[in-house]
Each structure stands twice: as C-alpha cells, then as structure tokens.
C-alpha cells in the first residue's frame, strides 16, 4: 500500500478541457480553404510529428529565438525569481517539451507546475518523466487550446500564479488578438499574479527570413506537415510534393508569414468540398509578429499591467518581459 501511495504522489494528473470535436475541426479547415486567400490555423501544425519537427527547428543555428531566449533566462533567472516571487503555481502556456520551464524550477521553486498544451498526448510523455525528476513539485497536465480563449481549470488551484508564455508564441496572434490574450492572462492570473513572457524582436530581414526558411528545410517539413493533417482530419487529397514552403517578412505588418504555395495548378478535394489553386497560389499557414521593446511594453500597459521589467540579449534580438 505504501508503495502504491508513493507512486500515486509522483504521477502527474491530466485534464482535458473543451476538446473540439472532429466535425468542428473539419468545418474550420474547410472554411479556411474556401475563402479567397486560403488559410489554415497554425494550431494544426502541432500534431505528434509537428511538435517533434518544431523541437528540431529550435536546434537549428538559423532559428535564433530559442537559444537567445534561453541565454536571457540563464543570465537573469535569479533576478526574475526575486521579483516574481518563489513558491508559486507556475502555469506554462504551450508547454510542449516542458524544457524551458524545467530550467527555471531551480530559480523559481514552484510549488505546483501546470503544463498547458494543445497536444495532450505529447504532454503525457514529457510530464511523466519530469515529475520523476522533481517529485517535490505537484504537476498537472492540461490539454487545452487557449488560442480562442484562455480559461484555466480548477485543478490549477488557489496559489499565487506565475503565467509563463515563452518562445514568442504571442507572435502567432495579431496585435489586437495579443492584447485580448494579455488581458485574459491578467484576469486568469488573479490578484498578485505575474506574467513571464518571451517576445521576438524586429531585426534585419535576412536574419528573420533565414530563421523561417532554413537550408536544412526542417521548417519546410514543419509547414508541409499541415497537408498531411488536412488529409487526416478533413479527408483531403493534398500531395505534399505539389506544394512549396514560403516564408517572407512583411515589414509593414512586422510579421513573418508562412505559406504553402502550389507548384502547379491543382484542385484539393475533400468530402463535401473542393478548392482550385492556380500555380503559385498559396495557403497562408502562420503569422509570426515581431515587436520592438517599446511596442510590446505599450501593449502590456494597454492590457492593464502596471509594472513591467524587460531583459534582452546584447544584440537585442529577443526580449523577456515580467509584468505584474
Ligand atoms: C512557436 C509560434 C513561436 O513563430 O517562431 C517556428 C513557430 N514557425 N518556425 C515562431 C515557428 C516556424 C514559432 N512559434
């Protein structure tokens, strides 16, 4: 009995909130393909394979955000913890491999760690081994898509909250959506809570575009994997060979756009619908907005965060903000 009890203590709990049904996902995908400028939400990039491809992207020398952000955390974690407070409930939004949060456990000493990710299966794998390494931290895995709205389940508990949103995932939102998300984060945190967030900064176009169009073509595979998801979820007949990965920085909008571009004229068909593509026509798959430090500080203030601190790398390529 004692053995069983001890084992139960070190096994993370998992909850799934408002999983979208397959009919709703099919509807969303079909709607996106039928508008004039076809689009597929970037949330579909992260199935089991897509999540692994993204992990591979973070290892690429051209993809600077992950390692630059890691260097900022390594250099300033103690100072961040001193301001944010230790012993909090650390809520990791889009946890993925949970690696970034785990590196901060020493400095932040959270009592509870809540990992939220759209891919709950991936979380099951990563959180179980992390729990074994840190049996003193209570761990909860939450499967949720917070891209539409951020609601946290009661399993998060009542402790003071530190919301963690690293990796510049906020860049997937338009600035308007980002503002709404930051307001929701402030509300979800409650009184005395804080937000620790990583934001990619504007820089020269060449550096930006190489980060999203690497010569090893891992990002191309990550983007093209969406076609396999279209086929699996919608019953579509897309051929990966018929599309090309395109990533371009739009200076005016301050965003990287990823597209899948038809290599020839073709028709995509699925049960109940079809869409013709001319050669060169594109499916828009992702936006990744880049901010200035001042621009993002303004956004935080507009969202109602009164106090903000910011740390950057020497090149000012990436920024980490702590807002409360
Ligand atoms: C996970 C959304 C932060 O925008 O840089 C990486 C996703 N897309 N390479 C990003 C991504 C192409 C990434 N985010």
């Amino acid at each position: 009995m004692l053995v069983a009890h001890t084992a139960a203590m070190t096994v993370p709990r998992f909850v799934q909130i408002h999983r979208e049904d397959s009919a709703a996902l099919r509807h969303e995908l079909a709607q996106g393909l039928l508008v004039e400028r076809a689009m597929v939400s970037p949330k579909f990039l992260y199935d089991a394979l897509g999540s692994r491809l993204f992990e591979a992207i973070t290892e690429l020398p051209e993809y600077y955000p992950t390692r630059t952000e890691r260097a900022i955390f390594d250099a300033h974690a103690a100072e961040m913890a001193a301001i944010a407070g230790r012993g909090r409930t650390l809520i990791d939004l889009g946890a993925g491999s949970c690696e970034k949060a785990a590196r901060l456990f020493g400095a932040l000493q959270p009592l509870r760690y809540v990992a939220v990710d759209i891919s709950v299966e991936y979380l099951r794998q990563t959180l179980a081994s992390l729990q074994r390494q840190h049996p003193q931290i209570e761990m909860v895995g939450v499967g949720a898509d917070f891209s539409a709205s951020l609601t946290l389940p009661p399993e998060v508990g009542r402790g003071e909250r530190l919301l963690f949103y690293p990796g510049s995932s906020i860049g997937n939102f338009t600035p308007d959506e980002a503002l709404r998300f930051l307001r929701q984060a402030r509300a979800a945190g409650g009184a005395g809570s804080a937000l620790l967030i990583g934001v990619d900064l504007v820089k020269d176009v060449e550096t930006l575009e190489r980060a999203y169009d690497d010569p090893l073509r891992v990002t191309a595979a990550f983007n093209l994997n969406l076609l396999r998801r279209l086929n699996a979820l919608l019953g579509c007949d897309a051929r990966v060979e018929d599309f090309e990965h395109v990533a371009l920085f739009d200076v005016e909008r301050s965003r990287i756009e990823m597209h899948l571009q038809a290599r020839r004229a073709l028709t995509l068909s699925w049960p109940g619908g079809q869409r013709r593509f001319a050669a060169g026509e594109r499916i828009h798959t992702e936006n990744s907005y880049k901010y200035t430090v001042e621009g993002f500080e303004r956004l935080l203030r507009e969202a109602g965060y009164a106090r903000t601190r910011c740390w950057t790398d020497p090149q000012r390529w990436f920024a980490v903000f702590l807002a409360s």
Side-chain angles (χ1 to χ4, degrees):
M1 281 320 284
L2 183 65
V3 173
H5 178 70
T6 308
M9 294 276 290
T10 53
V11 170
R13 285 175 295 151
F14 289 93
V15 285
Q16 175 76 49
I17 54 177
H18 66 269
R19 190 205 294 273
E20 283 180 285
D21 59 65
S22 54
L25 292 179
R26 277 201 303 276
H27 179 77
E28 182 184 346
L29 286 167
Q31 288 303 301
L33 288 177
L34 290 171
V35 293
E36 195 189 320
R37 292 166 187 266
M39 58 180 176
V40 175
S41 163
K43 73 182 177 192
F44 293 102
L45 290 166
Y46 302 93
D47 64 342
L49 175 59
S51 296
R52 289 197 173 85
L53 287 169
F54 178 68
E55 289 302 315
I57 287 172
T58 67
E59 305 277 325
L60 295 169
E62 294 81 13
Y63 192 75
Y64 61 84
T66 310
R67 67 182 140 79
T68 309
E69 183 184 51
R70 188 188 303 132
I72 296 170
F73 280 131
D74 286 352
H76 304 289
E79 195 186 352
M80 292 172 186
I83 300 169
R86 298 182 178 83
R88 292 195 171 209
T89 296
L90 180 63
I91 303 172
D92 191 351
L93 300 171
S97 69
C98 307
E99 194 215 309
K100 290 177 185 177
R103 285 176 77 93
L104 291 172
F105 282 172
L108 293 173
Q109 294 172 29
L111 286 180
R112 188 179 291 139
Y113 173 57
V114 181
V116 187
D117 200 280
I118 193 166
S119 174
V120 72
E121 292 319 313
Y122 195 61
L123 266 188
R124 279 183 199 281
Q125 300 167 30
T126 54
L127 209 55
S129 66
L130 193 64
Q131 177 74 89
R132 282 192 291 276
Q133 292 163 44
H134 303 273
Q136 78 286 4
I137 304 174
E138 190 187 335
M139 296 193 184
V140 185
V142 178
D145 169 21
F146 51 83
S147 62
S149 89
L150 177 64
T151 27
L152 297 171
E155 281 80 0
V156 170
R158 291 143 73 90
E160 282 200 318
R161 296 168 175 187
L162 176 59
L163 272 72
F164 184 51
Y165 199 40
S168 200
S169 295
I170 188 105
N172 273 171
F173 293 122
T174 65
D176 278 354
E177 292 166 344
L179 178 61
R180 204 185 48 184
F181 175 84
L182 292 171
R183 288 192 169 127
Q184 287 178 353
R186 203 168 66 83
S193 73
L195 170 71
L196 188 59
I197 184 169
V199 181
D200 197 13
L201 300 177
V202 178
K203 59 188 63 61
D204 68 282
V205 174
E206 201 194 320
T207 302
L208 282 168
E209 289 185 346
R210 272 179 74 80
Y212 291 83
D213 195 5
D214 62 279
L216 204 51
R217 311 204 57 71
V218 182
T219 310
F222 175 66
N223 194 11
L224 289 161
N225 179 49
L226 260 187
L227 297 166
R228 297 174 65 259
R229 297 227 69 204
L230 272 181
N231 293 349
L233 294 169
L234 187 59
C236 195
D237 59 353
R239 288 163 28 112
V240 172
E241 314 82 284
D242 285 343
F243 287 85
E244 193 174 353
H245 165 70
V246 174
L248 295 166
F249 187 61
D250 182 330
V251 179
E252 208 130 288
R253 293 189 168 106
S254 196
R255 71 187 193 193
I256 285 278
E257 292 185 4
M258 285 207 318
H259 297 264
L260 292 165
Q261 180 170 309
R263 291 179 189 271
R264 56 178 183 83
L266 56 90
T267 301
L268 293 185
S269 304
W270 60 92
Q274 59 174 39
R275 165 69 190 255
R276 262 198 63 76
F277 286 88
E281 205 176 339
R282 294 166 174 176
I283 305 173
H284 188 177
T285 56
E286 188 178 47
N287 292 320
S288 190
Y289 280 83
K290 310 303 170 188
Y291 288 89
T292 61
V293 166
E294 300 70 31
F296 199 76
E297 261 163 3
R298 219 177 301 128
L299 207 61
L300 284 169
R301 267 200 306 279
E302 240 181 291
Y305 287 99
R307 276 173 299 152
T308 62
R309 277 290 311 266
C310 173
W311 295 267
T312 64
D313 56 294
Q315 294 182 104
R316 285 174 85 82
W317 275 7
F318 200 93
V320 173
F321 293 84
L322 180 60
S324 54

